[in-house]
Amino acid sequence: MAGPLQRFLQIRRDEVAPVVASALCFFCILTALMVVRPAREALGMQRGIEAVRWLFIGTAVVTLAVNPVFALLVSRYRRQVFITATYLFFAGSLLIFYALLVMAPTAIGEVSGMVFFVWFSVFNLFATMVFWGLMVDQFALEQSKRLFGVIALGGTLGAIAGPWLASRLAAPLGTAGLLPVGAAALGLAVVAALVVARLQPQRPEVDSAAPRGVDERAVIGVIDDIGVIGGSMWEGFRKVVQSRYLLGIAAYILIFAISATFLYFTRLQMVAALGDDLDTRTAAFARIDLYTQAATLGLQALVAGHLMQRVGVPVTLALLPVTVALGFLGLAMTASLATLVVFQAAFRAVDRAIMRPARETLFTVVPRADKYKAKAVIDTAVYRGGDVVGAQVEGVLSGLAAGVSALVLVAVPLAVTWGALGLWLGRAQQREAGRHRAAAPGAASPRASDT
């Protein structure tokens, strides 16, 4: 990597290989998700917008059912085993759906479309959750602030590559032919994850910025990949309830999911108002996705890695709530599709390029078990709970026939609360990191002048 580019991206020489491997892993995961996503959207909308609200409830129920199974894997098996098992399970599921589409096409109807919608939504959550769990386990807090934005860039490129592959391969292979492509991408993601684990040594469970002269490995110790996390599969739920810090993260994710669902159904309502023509709707969704990915790519390449370093995690976590408040106010004033496109692009760009990397750094100061168990509960069960709440509240507000104006009365105050919570979490993370450093073996004793 050229010197100036390396300095701009804030990557040290010994970090280049693991960062590239991590970005490649995320690229493959997002490629798999986005190449299959058109099939999910097409099948899920067969029964209208109201049916989608109920599909959100189905997704939450299935997520709650799958979570204990994942927690059991985390408790009983080595990290690389349950990571590999998760991706191979979803890859195998894609191949099963492919076989059904090819061998029994007449059986594919509204019910099977809803099943696929729910399955994809669960797949989407667990695939990204496992990846970021690996990242916060491998990289220390100081590294995460510099590198997670660059790593997330690989996911954005995958989110662009997936739709591009779908548009190129849909005609010659058909919709069913896209599913094995997604399965192959997940297989490559497994290989990349193995490479990351080999290239990036296991980091301590807290910030690696140990006192000068103290070996980083002496802070807590390096746990190699042969270790089993242990504990019960319900430990993640207990950890979240018992920790004010983890409860704060859960509340932050809950409000994020509610706000994202408000925006999701607003988009469905506005695009549906364009007419019943399938091509018109598809073009509108494609235009929104295109602008979103372009804006995300620009923010990740130019801003994300430097922003957390310059303004800190607290301010970074508050940026998306500010975006949501301004976006819904803009929709209330104009109620135009153009405003929606700008809002959607800004929301996803700030989420993926800035907020998500900052949010993941919150887990770098928690014990290793929490990085997988508690994180899984927050990123799946809590997230899907927010989806359900958001979908039902939006449905009630839509029934009032007040349009976006009624939604603004709920979304804006919620965004203000969300932003305040983000500031608190960022400061709490700093306190946790400082507390662990102060308790590290070999930490320097206070000087007389400090006492």
Side-chain angles (χ1 to χ4, degrees):
M1 181 178 292
L5 180 60
Q6 188 173 341
R7 287 193 296 272
F8 176 76
L9 295 178
Q10 306 180 84
I11 303 176
R12 298 170 186 146
R13 185 176 298 275
D14 62 319
E15 296 170 336
V16 172
V19 167
V20 170
S22 300
L24 179 61
C25 181
F26 203 24
F27 172 87
C28 293
I29 293 169
L30 265 293
T31 298
L33 288 170
M34 297 303 291
V35 79
V36 178
R37 186 175 176 178
R40 192 281 296 262
E41 298 291 351
L43 292 170
M45 285 290 290
Q46 290 186 79
R47 298 184 65 178
I49 295 177
E50 190 60 36
V52 176
R53 293 193 180 94
W54 289 103
L55 288 177
F56 272 50
I57 296 178
T59 300
V61 171
V62 173
T63 300
L64 287 173
V66 172
N67 224 318
V69 178
F70 177 79
L72 183 64
L73 288 174
V74 173
S75 301
R76 300 287 180 84
Y77 298 98
R78 293 184 296 115
R79 179 189 60 184
Q80 205 59 54
V81 171
F82 64 74
I83 290 175
T84 302
T86 299
Y87 289 133
L88 291 183
F89 168 77
F90 285 118
S93 300
L94 281 173
L95 295 178
I96 292 174
F97 278 115
Y98 168 75
L100 289 175
L101 286 170
V102 172
M103 300 172 64
T106 57
I108 304 301
E110 291 183 354
V111 174
S112 56
M114 291 188 292
V115 171
F116 187 79
F117 185 98
V118 170
W119 173 89
F120 180 89
S121 300
V122 175
F123 166 39
N124 183 25
L125 270 187
F126 274 92
T128 53
M129 180 270 294
V130 168
F131 170 78
W132 283 112
L134 175 64
M135 292 299 100
V136 300
D137 202 13
Q138 295 297 121
F139 295 96
L141 175 58
E142 183 277 329
Q143 289 179 303
S144 68
K145 292 179 180 179
R146 291 185 292 107
L147 305 178
F148 278 10
V150 179
I151 293 171
L153 179 61
T156 298
L157 293 174
I160 294 173
W164 181 82
L165 283 173
S167 65
R168 293 287 181 176
L169 300 177
L173 299 181
T175 300
L178 299 178
L179 305 189
V181 176
L186 286 178
L188 293 175
V190 170
V191 175
L194 292 171
V195 173
V196 172
R198 182 174 294 273
L199 291 176
Q200 177 67 16
Q202 181 71 39
R203 296 289 174 175
E205 294 184 349
V206 296
D207 193 356
S208 63
R212 185 172 298 179
V214 177
D215 186 353
E216 178 185 285
R217 293 171 179 262
V219 176
I220 283 183
V222 177
I223 305 174
D224 62 22
D225 190 53
I226 65 172
V228 177
I229 292 176
S232 75
M233 65 181 181
W234 300 107
E235 187 177 348
F237 289 94
R238 290 201 301 269
K239 288 287 189 179
V240 172
V241 173
Q242 294 170 356
S243 169
R244 188 172 67 168
Y245 181 67
L246 292 175
L247 271 176
I249 298 176
Y252 187 89
I253 300 301
L254 180 70
I255 299 175
F256 164 75
I258 293 172
S259 301
T261 304
F262 284 168
L263 180 56
Y264 177 81
F265 280 100
T266 300
R267 183 182 70 163
L268 292 185
Q269 299 278 9
M270 285 193 161
V271 173
L274 297 176
D276 296 330
D277 182 66
L278 182 61
D279 291 339
T280 301
R281 292 183 176 182
T282 302
F285 285 128
R287 187 165 62 252
I288 294 172
D289 286 341
L290 176 62
Y291 295 152
T292 297
Q293 301 304 335
T296 303
L297 185 63
L299 281 179
Q300 285 175 322
L302 301 175
V303 176
H306 297 269
L307 192 64
M308 276 188 282
Q309 290 285 305
R310 293 183 181 276
V311 304
V313 174
V315 175
T316 305
L317 289 172
L319 288 178
L320 189 58
V322 171
T323 302
V324 168
L326 295 177
F328 276 111
L329 287 173
L331 280 177
M333 290 186 292
T334 63
S336 68
L337 185 60
T339 304
L340 174 70
V341 171
V342 173
F343 183 16
Q344 176 80 32
F347 180 90
R348 289 303 176 194
V350 175
D351 171 28
R352 294 178 182 173
I354 297 174
M355 191 277 283
R356 184 64 187 262
R359 189 180 95 197
E360 298 302 334
T361 68
L362 297 175
F363 289 97
T364 59
V365 296
V366 301
R368 187 185 185 208
D370 292 349
K371 293 174 181 177
Y372 289 101
K373 292 183 180 180
K375 188 176 188 304
V377 172
I378 293 171
D379 284 354
T380 57
V382 173
Y383 189 102
R384 285 310 179 200
D387 281 348
V388 172
V389 172
Q392 299 309 309
V393 171
E394 191 277 337
V396 171
L397 295 176
S398 296
L400 298 177
V404 179
S405 299
L407 199 57
V408 170
L409 296 177
V410 176
V412 173
L414 196 62
V416 172
T417 304
W418 184 20
L421 183 58
L423 292 173
W424 179 84
L425 280 172
R427 295 191 181 105
Q429 179 207 55
Q430 295 169 354
R431 290 194 297 270
E432 286 292 313
R435 182 172 62 84
H436 286 301
R437 284 198 298 270
S445 301
R447 295 173 298 182
S449 60
D450 296 331
T451 59

